[in-house]
Amino acid sequence: MKLNYDQEKKLWQKLQSARDSERYDAISAKEHGVNYLWWRLFHVAGDEIFANYLKSRPEKIRESYRDTFSIVGGDAWDPISKPKPYLKQNFPKTYEILFGKGQ
């Protein structure tokens, strides 16, 4: 199952291109009416971009992400209740950097 965030992605791109010097983050997203969730951010950025980001981070940072994606359930991951298998299926490059191929 893959969630469809096309509508939010188009809105994000429109707001991103229309902004001036303002920093576009969770706060400004809420000001513009964009529902800011982690999975939406991951789907907008995509596997390649997030994997490249992780490659550039120290191991301690990757370990923090690894721990976070290993948590099952909770409101932080809504609507994905099992983030690790979802990540493996939909973000294989990111998954490999965090967990390796064999896990």
Side-chain angles (χ1 to χ4, degrees):
M1 175 177 95
K2 188 168 184 174
L3 299 176
N4 185 350
Y5 293 114
D6 289 342
Q7 186 174 13
E8 285 82 6
K9 183 177 180 178
K10 287 176 185 173
L11 177 59
W12 180 85
Q13 289 170 337
K14 178 182 174 187
L15 294 173
Q16 182 73 2
S17 65
R19 72 184 174 110
D20 48 15
S21 62
E22 110 180 29
R23 183 169 176 247
Y24 193 78
D25 57 12
I27 295 168
S28 62
K30 282 189 175 189
E31 289 173 359
H32 293 293
V34 176
N35 188 1
Y36 184 84
L37 292 172
W38 281 107
W39 289 114
R40 290 183 183 190
L41 176 63
F42 293 146
H43 280 277
V44 169
D47 189 27
E48 186 77 32
I49 290 172
F50 195 61
N52 287 336
Y53 164 77
L54 289 173
K55 285 179 193 175
S56 70
R57 306 286 65 149
E59 178 57 33
K60 189 166 186 117
I61 300 294
R62 289 193 300 270
E63 183 179 315
S64 174
Y65 277 100
R66 190 177 306 118
D67 292 345
T68 301
F69 281 114
S70 296
I71 297 170
V72 175
D75 291 338
W77 290 119
D78 188 37
I80 308 300
S81 61
K82 296 179 182 175
K84 191 173 172 183
Y86 186 83
L87 191 71
K88 185 175 185 178
Q89 180 180 353
N90 296 291
F91 298 87
K93 293 176 183 178
T94 298
Y95 184 88
E96 186 176 335
I97 290 168
L98 293 176
F99 301 104
K101 286 185 178 185
Q103 290 191 17

